[in-house]
Amino acid sequence: MALSLWLGAVSFAQPTPNTPPPDFSPRVFEIAGELRCPVCQGESAAESNAGIAVEMRRIIAEQLAQGKTEAEIRQFFVERYGDWILYEPPARGLTLWVWLSPLIGLGLLGYGLWRYLARVRARVQAPIADVSDEEIARLEAELQTPERKS
Amino acid sequence: MTPGLLGGVSLLAALIFSVMGLVLSTLAYTLRDGRYLEAARRLSTLSLLAALVSFGALEWAILTNDFSVSYVANHSSANNPLWVKLVTPWAALEGSILLWAMLQTAYTWLLSLRVGQGLDIWRAPVALGTLFAVQVFFFAVMVFVAHPFDAVPNPPPDGRGTNPLLQNHWMMAVHPVLMYLGFVGLSVPFAYAVAAMVAKRFQSWIFETRWWTLVAWGFLTAAIFTGKWWSYEILGWGGYWAWDPVENASIIPWLLATAFLHTAQVQERKGLFKGWNFAFITLTFAATVFGTFLTRSGVIQSVHAFASGPVGAWFLLFLLGVMAVGLGLLARVSAEIREAGEVRWRSREGALLAGALFFGTFAFVVVLGTLWPLVVEIVSGAKVSVGAPFFNQISIPLGIFMLLLMGIGPVLPWRHTNAQVMRNLTAMLIALGVGTLLGFGLGLTLGVSLAIGLFAYNLTAIWLMVAQGVRERARALGISAGQALVELAASHKRRFGSHIVHFGIALAALTIAFSQTYRVTEQKTLQVGEAWQTRGMEVRLLSISAKEESNRFAAIAPIEVRSTSLEGWGSDGRYQTRLNFYPQMGSPLATPVVKYSLYNDYYFVLMQFDQERGQWATLKIIVTPMVWWLWVSGLIIVLGTLYILWPSGARVASRQISPTAGD
C-alpha cells in the first residue's frame, strides 16, 4: 500500500503512537477549550492537533471517566504547568487587574469625559468677550473655505 | 533587467520620492509656497508608480520562479498553483510590508487629489507631509531591514514554499488585502487631524474625514469577517474567533474607529468633542501600527503570526512617533480649542458618548488583556495566559450595554426627549422582555434568551424609526407608503445605511450568542465501514487512502453521512475529510468538511488515522448553530456601509451646524 510508504516519513513529524484514540464526549472538549496547548502558538488543547494536545484530551477523558470534577481536572494541569495553562487567568494577584480592566477603563474614560464636559459647560457660562479677534478671523476664514463637503 | 534588480531600484526610488515629498511638504508649509506643494503632489504620483513597479517586480519574480530573489526563495515554490503564486506577496513579512506601503502610496495619491479643493493651502502641506512621513517609514523598513529583493548568491532549484495555512483557502487571497486597506485607510483621517491641529482649524476636518473613516471602517469590517470565515474553514476547530493576539490586533482599531465614527457625529452636529476626536483618531491609527507590531515582533505567541522578523523595534518606534505627533499636537492646542455647549445625557449625543465610552473601554480591555501576559512576565517572571474564556466573559456585559445603547441612541432626538420617544422606548422594552421570555420558554439559556430579547429590541427600534418617517412623509405628500419608503431611503442614505449596519450588528450578536452557547464537539474512532449514530445523523467511514499532490501529501478518509431524524442534517451524501501534509510543516493540516445550513453547521475533521494498515480513523464532529447567519450579518454590515458611501445626486446636507457651535 502506497500509504505506508510515505507515512513512515510523515510519522516522524507526528510522534503519537499508532493506536486509535478513545472517543471523547462534548464535555472533554469543553474542558480542553479552557486549557492552553503548551507547544502551540496560542491554540487551546481542544483545537490543536499537536501530540501533547491530543494527550491532554486523553487525560481529561480518563479523569472524567474516573468521576473527577472539572475543577479537579484543571487543578491537575495547574500543578504540572502552573497557572499559565489556564486560558482564564485567576482573579488574584497580578492577573486580578485584568479582571478589573473593564472597570478601570470605564472609570478612566468616564472621568476624562466628565472633566471634559465640565470644561465645555463652563465655557457656556463664560462671557463671550474672551474670544480673541484673531480667533474670530480664523473662524470666518474657515467658514469661507470654498468646499466643505463631507 | 531582472525582477530583483527592478524591485530593489524601484523600492529605493519610492523611498527617495517619499523623503522628497516630505521635504517639499515641509517647505510648502514653512514658506507658504504653493509651488512646493504642487511638487509634493506630483511626488505622490511618482511614489505610487514606484511602489506599483516594485510590487509588480515581486509578482514577476514569483511567477517566473526567480529564486535568486530572497523573498521568492524563502516563501514561494515552483510547484505552487497559479493563484497561490499571485497571493504569495502577502504571505510573509517583507511582501506584506510592500503591499501595505503600496496601498499607503495609493491613499496618499488619493489625498493629493483633494489638495486645492477640500484641502486648503494651510492644511494641505501638513496632511500630505504626514502621509509622506508614513511612507518614508514603510519604505525605509523595506530598504534597510526587511528587503524583499535581497540577492541570493546561489539560487536554490526550488523555494521553501508558501505557508500552508495560507494556501488552503482562497479567502487568504482577499482577507489580508482588505485588512491593509482598512489599516492604511485610517492614516488619512489621522493626516487630516494632524493638519487640523497644526492649522488650528478644529471643526471642518470632521466633515471631510467622515467618508475616509467610513471607507476604512468598511474594509476593516469586511476584513474581520473574512478572517473569521478563514479561521472557521481552515483551522479545523469549528470556531471563528479565539481572542488570539493577532485577532485582537484587528479588533482594537475597529473598536476605536467605531467609537470615533460615533463621537464624530456629536462634533458634526454640535461642534463638541473636538479634542476627544483628535485623541480618538490618533489612537485608532496608532492601534493599526500596534497591531502590526504585535503580529510582526514575535513578542507575543499567536496562531496567526505568519510573519515575524527584525522589524518589531521599528514598528514600536513608529507607534511611539504616531502617538507623540497626535497627542503632542493635541496637548499643544487643547487650550485653544473653543467648544461650548451642554450635553444632555438623555439625548442622542448622550447615547453616542456613552456608546463611545463603551467602545473605548472595550478596546482598553482588549489591549490590556493582550499585553498583560507580557507585563506579568516582565514584572514577576511568572507566565500567565489571558485567553478566550476571559474575553468572552468580559464581552458579555459590555456587549449587552452596547446593544442596549445601539437601540436607544438613534431613537433619541438631539435635544429633548418627548412623549413619542417615550412611547417608542416602551415598545422597545416590551420587545426586549417578550423576546427574552420567548427564549426562556423555549428552554434556552439566560444569555441566549437575552440575546433574542436584545435582537427584538433593536429590530423594534429600527422598525419604529423607519415606520414613523414613512408615515409622516406619506401623509404629508399624499403618496403611498412604499413610495415614501423608497424616497426616504434615497434621501436619508446616511440614516438608512446606519439602520442597515445596526441591524447587521444585532444579527451578528444573536448568532454569536447562539453559536458560542450551543456548539458541541464530539470525537470517535471508526473502523473502516463502521457507522456512527450521533446528532440526528449516521456517519460511515468508507475508506482511507493516500494521495500525492504537487506540493503536498494528503490522507483522505471519505465519509458517508445520512440523516436519521427529521431535524438538523439535511445533506445526505459522500464527503472527503482529509489531512494535508506539507514538507515545511511539522504537524498535519486538517481540511474540514463544512456543511452549512440555515440552522446548524456540521463540521467534520479527520483527526488521526491508522498509519500502518489504514484500518481506522478518528473523526471529530462539531455542530454549531446559526454560523451561516454570521456571514450574512457581515455582508449586511458591509452592504450598509456601502449604501452610506454610495455617491448619489441627491446628497443630504449633513451639516446643520450653527456657526457659533463651530470653532
Side-chain angles (χ1 to χ4, degrees):
Chain A
M1 206 175 183
L3 191 63
S4 51
L5 282 178
W6 62 267
L7 284 178
V10 166
S11 56
F12 234 82
Q14 215 196 357
T16 44
N18 198 33
T19 49
D23 301 340
F24 296 147
S25 67
R27 192 95 183 91
V28 174
F29 287 97
E30 261 171 51
I31 297 172
E34 313 238 305
L35 299 173
R36 178 184 273 278
C37 158
V39 300
C40 311
Q41 294 272 314
E43 276 183 304
S44 79
E47 296 153 21
S48 171
N49 217 1
I52 190 155
V54 174
E55 181 64 11
M56 281 169 78
R57 291 196 288 265
R58 198 188 58 71
I59 292 171
I60 295 168
E62 212 172 79
Q63 300 203 343
L64 272 177
Q66 290 165 11
K68 285 198 180 171
T69 65
E70 184 177 338
E72 284 167 343
I73 298 173
R74 283 159 64 114
Q75 193 52 39
F76 172 86
F77 285 103
V78 169
E79 275 163 21
R80 270 149 196 79
Y81 293 98
D83 284 338
W84 177 75
I85 202 81
L86 300 176
Y87 259 132
E88 185 182 312
R92 60 179 149 72
L94 271 174
T95 44
L96 177 65
W97 293 101
V98 173
W99 286 103
L100 295 178
S101 64
L103 293 177
I104 299 169
L106 215 51
L108 285 175
L109 277 168
Y111 177 71
L113 192 63
W114 177 69
R115 286 286 306 269
Y116 201 92
L117 286 173
R119 208 183 71 169
V120 164
R121 204 176 307 117
R123 277 256 162 70
V124 174
Q125 281 134 18
I128 195 76
D130 71 345
V131 180
S132 67
D133 291 345
E134 181 211 2
E135 206 163 324
I136 289 171
R138 184 166 53 72
L139 214 158
E140 276 169 358
E142 182 161 351
L143 284 170
Q144 278 160 12
T145 307
E147 197 187 2
R148 263 179 39 183
K149 265 199 188 160
S150 48
Chain B
M1 190 181 251
T2 63
L5 187 61
L6 177 65
V9 168
S10 54
L11 259 192
L12 198 61
L15 175 62
I16 292 169
F17 292 148
S18 306
V19 171
M20 283 168 66
L22 179 57
V23 170
L24 286 168
S25 302
T26 315
L27 284 175
Y29 175 75
T30 49
L31 303 176
R32 302 261 180 239
D33 192 330
R35 284 171 302 176
Y36 291 114
L37 182 60
E38 186 53 33
R41 247 183 68 162
R42 295 200 178 146
L43 277 166
S44 74
T45 315
L46 286 178
S47 59
L48 170 64
L49 288 175
L52 285 173
V53 168
S54 196
F55 192 81
L58 189 60
E59 285 282 16
W60 179 19
I62 292 166
L63 288 173
T64 55
N65 300 319
D66 186 344
F67 298 113
S68 67
V69 174
S70 59
Y71 187 83
V72 187
N74 289 328
H75 304 293
S76 187
S77 162
N79 294 325
N80 281 352
L82 178 65
W83 80 269
V84 171
K85 285 186 180 173
L86 284 173
V87 305
T88 297
W90 51 90
L93 179 74
E94 297 89 347
S96 51
I97 295 181
L98 179 55
L99 175 67
W100 184 318
M102 184 180 74
L103 296 175
Q104 183 69 63
T105 58
Y107 273 108
T108 310
W109 179 73
L110 282 174
L111 180 117
S112 79
L113 298 180
R114 305 294 302 162
V115 172
Q117 297 178 13
L119 267 177
D120 49 69
I121 180 80
W122 297 278
R123 295 182 301 150
V126 185
L128 211 49
T130 307
L131 292 190
F132 273 125
V134 176
Q135 277 184 209
V136 169
F137 167 75
F138 280 103
F139 287 112
V141 163
M142 272 185 287
V143 169
F144 298 115
V145 202
H147 199 281
F149 299 102
D150 272 340
V152 178
N154 299 307
D158 193 7
R160 283 190 212 156
T162 310
N163 186 333
L165 276 173
L166 305 180
Q167 300 183 31
N168 256 282
H169 200 275
W170 62 272
M171 196 50 100
M172 262 304 128
V174 183
H175 162 73
V177 181
L178 290 172
M179 189 60 87
Y180 289 150
L181 279 168
F183 271 26
V184 179
L186 287 168
S187 68
V188 180
F190 174 69
Y192 268 94
V194 169
M197 286 190 277
V198 170
K200 299 187 180 170
R201 301 194 155 193
F202 307 124
Q203 179 66 10
S204 45
W205 74 283
I206 208 86
F207 308 111
E208 294 158 342
T209 56
R210 192 176 64 82
W211 189 86
W212 296 99
T213 315
L214 210 52
V215 166
W217 186 87
F219 278 127
L220 214 50
T221 309
I224 289 171
F225 273 92
T226 51
K228 285 181 182 191
W229 195 11
W230 171 83
S231 166
Y232 185 66
E233 291 226 321
I234 283 305
L235 294 181
W237 61 290
Y240 43 79
W241 192 261
W243 296 104
D244 179 89
V246 173
E247 294 168 3
N248 295 350
S250 72
I251 199 81
I252 295 164
W254 186 87
L255 287 167
L256 290 170
T258 312
F260 173 75
L261 280 172
H262 287 90
T263 50
Q265 290 182 47
V266 183
Q267 187 177 340
E268 280 181 285
R269 292 291 294 236
K270 298 220 137 192
L272 289 178
F273 285 87
K274 301 186 180 91
W276 271 69
N277 286 330
F278 284 131
F280 258 113
I281 202 63
T282 300
L283 292 178
T284 307
F285 180 55
T288 67
V289 183
F290 173 72
T292 315
F293 164 68
L294 276 190
T295 332
R296 305 297 186 224
S297 63
V299 292
I300 279 167
Q301 285 196 342
S302 157
V303 66
H304 308 285
F306 297 122
S308 59
V311 297
W314 284 62
F315 272 92
L316 192 59
L317 276 178
F318 184 55
L319 171 67
L320 294 176
V322 168
M323 304 265 278
V325 168
L327 300 181
L329 274 173
L330 180 59
R332 204 173 65 109
V333 299
S334 67
E336 294 177 54
I337 298 177
R338 292 278 153 183
E339 46 191 345
E342 198 148 3
V343 171
R344 287 183 193 82
W345 284 101
R346 275 164 49 189
S347 70
R348 176 87 57 82
E349 69 260 27
L352 287 168
L353 287 183
L357 199 64
F358 277 104
F359 278 113
T361 303
F362 209 153
F364 177 80
V365 171
V366 180
V367 171
L368 201 68
T370 310
L371 284 182
W372 205 247
L374 201 65
V375 172
V376 171
E377 192 164 351
I378 293 169
V379 171
S380 72
K383 280 187 149 196
V384 292
S385 307
V386 180
F390 165 79
F391 288 110
N392 286 340
Q393 283 178 51
I394 293 288
S395 44
I396 289 168
L398 285 171
I400 291 171
F401 270 117
M402 288 197 299
L403 286 169
L404 281 172
L405 281 171
M406 193 173 88
I408 295 177
V411 173
L412 289 174
W414 284 95
R415 290 166 190 281
H416 306 278
T417 47
N418 54 30
Q420 174 69 43
V421 171
M422 292 322 284
R423 271 200 299 278
N424 286 349
L425 284 181
T426 314
M428 287 156 61
L429 288 176
I430 290 173
L432 175 62
V434 169
T436 311
L437 287 175
L438 182 76
F440 259 136
L442 291 170
L444 303 171
T445 64
L446 173 64
V448 174
S449 303
L450 199 55
I452 296 174
L454 284 165
F455 181 69
Y457 160 92
N458 271 295
L459 213 58
T460 311
I462 295 170
W463 167 256
L464 286 172
M465 282 180 280
V466 174
Q468 198 177 324
V470 166
R471 222 175 15 245
E472 277 167 14
R473 192 176 182 94
R475 200 182 311 141
L477 300 177
I479 52 177
S480 73
Q483 199 186 344
L485 176 67
V486 171
E487 283 182 20
L488 266 184
S491 62
H492 291 68
K493 291 177 46 161
R494 191 168 165 186
R495 197 156 165 75
F496 267 72
S498 79
H499 288 333
I500 298 172
V501 171
H502 282 180
F503 172 73
I505 303 265
L507 182 61
L510 186 67
T511 62
I512 290 169
F514 262 95
S515 58
Q516 293 284 331
T517 311
Y518 294 113
R519 191 159 76 98
V520 176
T521 310
E522 284 179 301
Q523 178 180 308
K524 190 174 169 67
T525 299
L526 295 171
Q527 299 293 321
V528 170
E530 193 187 351
W532 177 15
Q533 309 259 354
T534 183
R535 317 238 154 231
M537 59 191 170
E538 185 189 81
V539 184
R540 189 182 299 279
L541 176 67
L542 297 176
S543 65
I544 296 168
S545 60
K547 195 175 172 189
E548 189 174 348
E549 292 169 340
S550 65
N551 52 349
R552 64 188 181 193
F553 283 116
I556 300 172
I559 51 169
E560 189 178 18
V561 189
R562 287 196 311 114
S563 308
T564 52
S565 77
L566 284 175
E567 66 209 47
W569 178 261
S571 311
D572 290 5
R574 290 181 174 209
Y575 301 96
Q576 274 199 351
T577 57
R578 58 191 285 161
L579 280 174
N580 292 331
F581 296 85
Y582 289 87
Q584 64 268 48
M585 261 192 119
S587 55
L589 200 60
T591 306
V593 172
V594 189
K595 209 58 209 162
Y596 294 97
S597 81
L598 294 189
Y599 182 58
N600 274 328
D601 269 14
Y602 294 82
Y603 200 95
F604 302 88
V605 195
L606 175 60
M607 298 293 286
Q608 255 178 289
F609 58 97
D610 184 355
Q611 297 176 3
E612 278 156 20
R613 284 167 299 133
Q615 291 298 304
W616 54 266
T618 306
L619 278 184
K620 185 160 84 173
I621 294 185
I622 303 169
V623 183
T624 321
M626 283 193 75
V627 181
W628 193 79
W629 293 97
L630 185 64
W631 317 132
V632 173
S633 68
L635 191 65
I636 291 173
I637 297 170
V638 171
L639 288 178
T641 314
L642 265 180
Y643 186 76
I644 302 175
L645 291 171
W646 202 262
S648 72
R651 179 171 284 174
V652 185
S654 58
R655 303 174 270 122
Q656 287 105 334
I657 184 155
S658 66
T660 49
D663 289 44

